[in-house]
C-alpha cells in the first residue's frame, strides 16, 4: 500500500470560506474524506500549515519514508527557495498542485520556485487537481 501525504500551505485551511469564486465552496476536510473513500488502497495522510518552517519540517519528516507528496504550497510557491531546497533534499516524488490556474491570475503568481524540483505540476482543475496528482503517483 502506497503512503501519500497531501500537504497544504498558507490559507488553505480556509477552503470553502475564502474567495469561493476562485477556490470553490467545499472544505478540504470534506474533500479529503472523499479521497480516502475513493482510494482505499492508498494510505493517505493530510497536513496543513500557514508556517513555512512547518511545511519544510513535514517534508523532511516524510520525504524518506513516504511514496509521494502532493504539495500545494500556496503563496510560498512564488517566494520560498527554502521549500524548493527541501523538496530537492528528499527522496520521494513531489507533485506541485494548485486549485486555480495561476497563469490566469496576477503576474507574481506565474513563477514557481518549487516546480523545478517537483516531478510534475497540476493546476487549474479545482480540488480535482489533487485527485489527478494522486492518480499520477499510483
Amino acid at each position: 500500500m502506497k503512503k501519500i501525504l497531501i500537504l497544504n500551505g498558507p490559507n488553505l485551511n480556509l477552503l470553502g470560506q475564502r474567495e469561493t469564486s476562485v477556490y470553490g465552496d467545499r472544505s478540504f476536510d470534506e474533500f479529503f474524506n472523499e479521497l480516502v473513500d475513493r482510494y482505499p488502497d492508498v494510505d493517505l495522510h493530510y497536513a496543513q500549515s500557514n508556517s513555512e518552517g512547518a511545511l519544510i519540517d513535514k517534508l523532511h519528516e516524510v520525504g524518506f519514508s513516504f511514496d509521494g507528496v502532493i504539495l500545494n504550497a500556496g503563496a510560498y510557491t512564488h517566494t520560498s527557495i527554502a521549500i524548493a531546497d527541501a523538496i530537492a533534499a528528499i527522496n520521494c516524488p513531489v507533485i506541485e498542485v494548485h486549485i486555480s490556474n495561476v497563469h490566469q491570475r496576477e503576474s507574481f503568481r506565474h513563477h514557481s520556485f518549487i516546480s523545478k524540483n517537483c516531478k510534475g505540476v497540476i493546476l487549474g482543475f479545482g480540488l480535482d487537481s489533487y485527485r489527478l496528482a494522486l492518480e499520477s503517483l499510483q
Side-chain angles (χ1 to χ4, degrees):
M1 179 178 288
K2 288 195 174 191
K3 265 178 113 167
I4 307 290
L5 171 68
I6 296 175
L7 182 59
N8 276 341
N11 301 309
L12 292 165
N13 56 306
L14 298 177
L15 287 176
Q17 300 171 355
R18 74 178 274 230
E19 300 172 275
T20 56
S21 63
V22 175
Y23 300 106
D25 59 2
R26 295 177 63 201
S27 75
F28 195 82
D29 288 336
E30 175 187 337
F31 177 71
F32 181 76
N33 289 334
E34 290 175 15
L35 285 178
V36 169
D37 290 343
R38 185 171 179 168
Y39 296 94
D41 57 333
V42 178
D43 185 10
L44 277 175
H45 297 254
Y46 173 62
Q48 186 279 329
S49 180
N50 294 315
S51 168
E52 181 179 29
L55 296 171
I56 292 167
D57 288 344
K58 186 55 91 169
L59 287 167
H60 291 177
E61 176 187 328
V62 306
F64 298 95
S65 59
F66 276 47
D67 298 300
V69 173
I70 298 167
L71 173 63
N72 185 339
Y76 288 134
T77 301
H78 320 293
T79 63
S80 182
I81 295 168
I83 291 175
D85 287 348
I87 294 166
I90 61 177
N91 290 339
C92 76
V94 176
I95 306 295
E96 177 184 345
V97 164
H98 299 283
I99 296 167
S100 66
N101 181 345
V102 296
H103 300 290
Q104 293 178 336
R105 300 183 64 197
E106 303 93 339
S107 62
F108 72 86
R109 296 185 194 275
H110 298 178
H111 176 75
S112 168
F113 280 103
I114 67 175
S115 293
K116 72 179 190 77
N117 296 335
C118 292
K119 178 180 178 184
V121 179
I122 299 173
L123 56 88
F125 294 98
L127 290 176
D128 215 28
S129 295
Y130 293 91
R131 182 191 60 76
L132 295 168
L134 183 56
E135 290 284 335
S136 76
L137 289 169
Q138 300 232 26

